[in-house]
Amino acid sequence: MLLVAILLPAMAQQVEVTSLKRLLEDREEPAYYPVLNQTGNRLVYQTDDAGMKVYDLSTDQLSTITMEVVGNDVCWGGDGKVYFVCMSAGDDNLIYRTGCSYDIATEQMTRLTEPQHGAVHAVSATRGAALRAPGQNYNSSGDIGDAAWTEGSRVHVTVAGEERVFSPVDSWAGYLWASLSPDGKRVAFFAAGKGIVVIDLRGQILAMLGNYEMPSWYNNDYLVAQNAKDDGHQFTSSQIVLLKADGTFMSELTKPESMSMQPTCGGGKIVFTTIDGLLYQMQINIYE
């Protein structure tokens, strides 16, 4: 009886893929780690060797942000700028990281922090962005708004200027990919060995969504994530899935053999890449 009660709401829901198209089909270079802005009209991605580009989906224009090696912490700030971390090797052969931003309007890249050894995280916020590092922090303004990020096995949440730190689940390998829901009421993040966790702004667990990675809020009620399998050496399958934020529903958006990964959402669009670096844009309808 309990099993039936749990399954009935999920069975009543359906998801339809209404469009699926390849992006940048006339370009030869592969694209990885795509990140859509909130309105879904611009996309940043990294190339296979070094550098990052921004693609305007409305005008089909492509611009280079930098040709330097960029870390995977890339985000759009609430101020419309792109925040990211450049990496370079020092004379001592250590990797040094520099926090940077890119202004779409002026097409200018700015270095915001001095090069430092150790982790530097770019953090999206509702009014701007921040760079978090042991050596030095940076805020784009005096009030960057609300934000969520992870450090080790802790998730940090800033609400109305107050920073809160939670460790709601045990994870010896740490947390990744924290983000606020569009309405700012919940936080989703990945905990190694546990999967995607959804908490409220007081750190209380609302749902455990399963062992998926790279969660991205599609809207206030659903997230898109990556479901990848490997044999310890390489990926054996990878697909994009849709998850309800309360943990009651999951739907496959692509097949496991598609090797699709690294989803991002914005403006009702879903963009993902494949293991070969082919970018796709998907749109869906959810029927409840």
Side-chain angles (χ1 to χ4, degrees), residues 172-190:
W172 64 271
Y175 300 166
L176 291 170
W177 305 309
S179 61
L180 285 168
S181 59
D183 61 8
K185 295 180 179 180
R186 288 172 288 180
V187 176
F189 65 95
F190 170 83

Side-chain angles (χ1 to χ4, degrees), residues 256-271:
E257 60 269 23
S258 68
M259 301 301 285
S260 47
M261 53 187 60
Q262 300 168 2
T264 178
C265 301
K269 300 172 184 175
I270 302 167
V271 171

Side-chain angles (χ1 to χ4, degrees), residues 68-83:
E68 298 181 56
V69 177
V70 176
N72 295 336
D73 265 5
V74 177
C75 68
W76 290 90
D79 53 8
K81 296 180 181 180
V82 183
Y83 291 84

Side-chain angles (χ1 to χ4, degrees), residues 2-278:
L2 179 60
L3 179 62
V4 172
I6 292 173
L7 289 179
L8 277 176
M11 292 171 63
Q13 295 173 264
Q14 293 184 354
V15 179
E16 176 190 10
V17 177
T18 58
S19 69
L20 178 65
K21 66 177 181 178
R22 173 95 179 271
L23 297 178
L24 302 173
E25 193 167 4
D26 58 336
R27 275 79 167 186
E28 296 298 327
E29 66 181 8
Y32 298 102
Y33 299 104
V35 185
L36 276 168
N37 65 353
Q38 187 175 13
T39 56
N41 67 325
R42 289 191 175 95
L43 175 79
V44 293
Y45 68 88
Q46 298 179 47
T47 59
D48 60 343
D49 47 8
M52 185 167 59
K53 297 187 177 182
V54 57
Y55 175 56
D56 191 315
L57 283 77
S58 303
T59 64
D60 195 37
Q61 296 298 306
L62 187 64
S63 304
T64 297
I65 293 178
T66 180
M67 291 306 295
E68 298 181 56
V69 177
V70 176
N72 295 336
D73 265 5
V74 177
C75 68
W76 290 90
D79 53 8
K81 296 180 181 180
V82 183
Y83 291 84
F84 56 100
V85 179
C86 287
M87 301 188 296
S88 60
D91 295 336
D92 51 8
N93 292 322
L94 295 177
I95 298 299
Y96 287 83
R97 295 171 176 86
T98 304
C100 305
S101 69
Y102 179 79
D103 190 324
I104 297 294
T106 62
E107 299 184 343
Q108 294 295 313
M109 181 180 117
T110 303
R111 299 183 188 278
L112 305 174
T113 65
E114 295 297 322
Q116 57 186 300
H117 179 57
V120 180
H121 300 289
V123 177
S124 178
T126 54
R127 297 190 185 94
L131 294 158
R132 291 288 179 259
Q136 54 179 314
N137 291 324
Y138 168 86
N139 287 346
S140 61
S141 64
D143 180 11
I144 62 172
D146 301 339
W149 71 97
T150 63
E151 293 179 9
S153 295
R154 299 179 302 277
V155 59
H156 297 246
V157 182
T158 298
V159 179
E162 176 193 358
E163 183 175 329
R164 307 165 185 177
V165 184
F166 310 116
S167 294
V169 295
D170 293 331
S171 177
W172 64 271
Y175 300 166
L176 291 170
W177 305 309
S179 61
L180 285 168
S181 59
D183 61 8
K185 295 180 179 180
R186 288 172 288 180
V187 176
F189 65 95
F190 170 83
K194 300 295 176 64
I196 298 174
V197 184
V198 178
I199 61 174
D200 63 18
L201 301 183
R202 294 292 177 184
Q204 299 300 306
I205 297 176
L206 301 176
M208 305 282 288
L209 305 188
N211 195 23
Y212 308 104
E213 306 97 23
M214 303 189 75
S216 178
W217 289 95
Y218 175 73
N219 58 26
N220 289 321
D221 299 313
Y222 290 88
L223 299 100
V224 173
Q226 166 186 295
N227 180 26
K229 308 297 182 184
D230 64 78
D231 59 9
H233 302 282
Q234 60 184 4
F235 288 114
T236 57
S237 69
S238 188
Q239 66 181 144
I240 307 302
V241 296
L242 180 74
L243 306 168
K244 195 164 187 180
D246 62 6
T248 62
F249 177 74
M250 186 279 282
S251 179
E252 297 181 344
L253 298 181
T254 64
K255 296 298 183 183
E257 60 269 23
S258 68
M259 301 301 285
S260 47
M261 53 187 60
Q262 300 168 2
T264 178
C265 301
K269 300 172 184 175
I270 302 167
V271 171
F272 58 88
T273 189
T274 68
I275 197 167
D276 298 317
L278 306 181

